[in-house]
Structure formats: C-alpha cells, structure tokens
Amino acid sequence: MTSGAYAKLDTDARIAIIGSGFSGLAAAIALKKKGINNFVIFEQEAGLGGTWWNNRYPGAEVDLESHIYSFSFERYDWTRTHASWAELLTYLNHVARKWGLISHLRFNEKVEAVTWSDERKEYAIATSSKADHGAFRAVISAVGFLNIPLLPPFARRESDFKGVQCHTSRWPKGLSMAGKRVGILGTGSSAVQVIHEAALEAASVKIFQKEANWILPKDSRDFTASERFMHKFAPIYWWKRFWLYYGYDTRQFRASHARKDGRVNKRRAAASLAYLQNSLADRPDLLKLATPDFPFEARRTVISDTYYDDLKNPKVELVPYGAAKLSAAGIIDEGGHEHPLDIIIYATGFDAANYLAGMKVAGEHGIDLHEKWAGEPEALLGLMVPGFPNFFMMYGPNTNAIPLVTFYQAQANFCASLISTMLKTRRRTIKVDAAAFRRFNQKIQAALAKTVWGSTTSYFQASTGKIVAQWPHSATEYILATKAARKNAVKIE
C-alpha cells in the first residue's frame, strides 16, 4: 500500500454511506474518528435504525446480550439483559446525536444505483427521489443482508383473504392481536418472539411449521436496580462486556461451534436436546413434532425461554404442515385442511443470500456486481470485490457471525483507515488485489466445508448450495485478518 508525504486530508472528497443501522453508524463514526466529515448517509426509511426501525413486531428483541450488542466505545444504561427493539432504537438515536451524525442523514432516500466513472474516479448515486446528489469518492454500503422480506409465493399475489396479513419486519402501526384468531408461519427467531405475545393476548394461535428448529434457553430478564447501578462504573461495564466477548470468541475458535465433531457443538447440541426433552416430557405428541431432523447449528439456532411453554398453551396449536395457499377465510395447509383466521403473520425470514438486492452497482468498465457474482456473492472479508474500486460493504458475504457489532466496528475501521490514507496521499483509488481475493475465498470455502452449514438448506446458502453468509472463525481472527488485509491485499493508487 502506498504511503505519501501529505498529512492533510482532501476535505473536498465526499463519501457516501448507504444505510443507518448499526453498521452504517459504525462506518460514519469511524470516518469521524479519522477526521473525515464530508460524508452523506442515505437511508430509505423515515428514521435511522435499520433492522430496529423495521422490526417492531410484538416481542421483538435481540438474541445477544445488550452489553455485547452495542458499540464498544458507547456505554449505556441497559434495562434488560437482551434489549428490546425500542430500547435499541433509542440507543442508536442517542449514539447518532452524540457523534453529530443527524445532519449527515438523508431520510426517505432509497439508493437504486451506484455507478463508477473510470474517467473521473468517483461514484454517482441514484436514489428514489431522483435528486442530483453529486459525486462521491468512495461508497460504503451498510444495508446488511437481512432486509428484504421473504414471502411465500401465494402471499405475493392478490387473494380473497379478508383479514390482515403482514411480515414481522413490516408490522402495521396499531395492529393488535387481542381477541383475534392468529396464524403464524415459521418457527425461527422472529416467530418464537411473536408467538409468545400472541399466546398472551390472541383468542387462538396456529403455528404453521414446515420444520422444527433447535432451541436453547435465552435467560432474558430485566436488570435489577442494583445491577444497573453497578453498570454505571466503567470497569464493571467493560469487564462484563469482555467476558461476553471472550465466551463467543472461544466458542467460535476453529469453528468448534459449527463442526459436528467440535467440542462446543457437541456440548451445545446436548444442552439443546435436553432442553427440548425436559420441556416437553409431558407432551410426547409435541415432542415428536418439535424435534428437528438436521444437525445442530446447521441452521440458525433459536434462543427462547418461552417457546416450549407456549406450545403447551391450550390456545396454541402446532400445525405439522406448511401453509399451501390462502382462502377467503384463512389458510389451507399442505395437508388440505382449512384454518379460519383473522390475522396472518409471516415470520418467514429474509432473502438473505441476495446481497445488495434492489441496488445496481456498476464498477470499472461498467461491470455489474450482480452479474459478476452470478448468484454466488463473495468478497475479500466481505468488504471488497475486484473491479469495484472505493466500494466497500459492511456485513457483506461470509461475515455473518457473532458478536455482530464487533464485526461492524472492524469493518468500519478497515474502510475508514483506507479512505483516510487515500485522502491524505491525494490518491484516487482503493483496489483489492485479485489474487488475494481468490486465495481468501478458496480458503474460506475450504473451512466452511468442514462445518454443518452445508448439511441442510438455509439462508446461509446461495441457490446453488454454496455457503455465502457464514464466517467460520472467531471475531478476533476476523479483526486480525482485516488489519492484515489493509497492508497486504489492498492497493491505493
């Protein structure tokens, strides 16, 4: 990587960030820390927050502990071990205000195209408003990959159903389940949360299950007053965060959590099976239906304290079929049975493997990023692709791992450091080395082949079966890899 004699930043160069969730704010703050203030954050929604702006369904909360699912540089007075969507949204707004990011935000601006100019060495951005946003020296995409709701084919067409339909990530304002007959499609992480709320207030709940999932207890609760008082002391707060990080890091070392012969995988699989059997020992009918038929961790493991108890609630019925189609009255399942319903909730996840869906990205010589990927997204550390200079991705291909915010910060530091060097040295392009890109993806796929993630279909995979979402190592290994890549796999010219 080239170093130069200039120390002062090129302040005329503008940077674009797409998305204002955790990763977008991480990128913006990393730029600020480098003294880069000439940037714009494009946000397609009416407010910041990303996932936590959209996912407002009843019971929505994070699966990771609040102290680790937050920025390492921003302590907060968390009220729960696992924060709700509302508390996370409040936190993100607090962070944005504290770091002076509000003035950089452009709301209701969905980015539709990012186009590189070979002559000018800069990007043009087209948004839904059709406004002229000027040129940008670099672009950081922070749109994530769990943002395009995935609906069953019959839900994408007009139907005669008279009730309310919604995806969990598009919950209608004011929608109440009280006294209603509610049908829920799915048994994943979002499903179990909304199922619990429905079991509390709905007249009846029907869960349409295609396949059961492995579940572990969450141990989610409110912090006591004394705990919140102690968390005000920085050493105690950071110690708590460190031990959470250490636990996740050691768990994922050499993919021990995702290899069938891994010590961590075996231990957690046994714990999950025991939780299932102990919880449903008095209901052999439910035990049979709730037992998965794929290896532990092959799909996202569900974390819940309530799901098995909810299954035993007299108001709740676990339907052992997926939904086949809609009728005027409700749902007809794959067994041919009709279920009258007032509300249908699609907890059916996202089109996760389709990275940067809905956005056209054109690089050198007009090459299209989606055409280059040909349905199998890949990047160097999820961050950069040859042929697309000065274009970075947060939470890109093969970077889905925990703790998520730690990965966002490492990615943000990678982007900001390279952009800062480019602006200080008055260079024009940041490019990833094609050979380094190939070597990395060969190694990552070799590591992924040793895991259980390819043993069943899931959102971890492209339609071809290639694992395009997961990172098979620990967070510390990822952080070190980003530091090495800045020196050895990227050129600034």
Side-chain angles (χ1 to χ4, degrees), residues 18 42 44 109-114 125-128 358-360:
I18 307 171
F42 293 99
Q44 67 177 359
E109 287 284 9
K110 176 178 171 52
V111 172
E112 297 174 339
V114 178
I125 288 183
T127 66
S128 51
M359 183 195 311
K360 179 180 174 63

Side-chain angles (χ1 to χ4, degrees), residues 400-412:
N400 185 43
I402 51 178
L404 284 175
V405 180
T406 299
F407 280 75
Y408 300 155
Q409 289 184 213
Q411 292 160 0

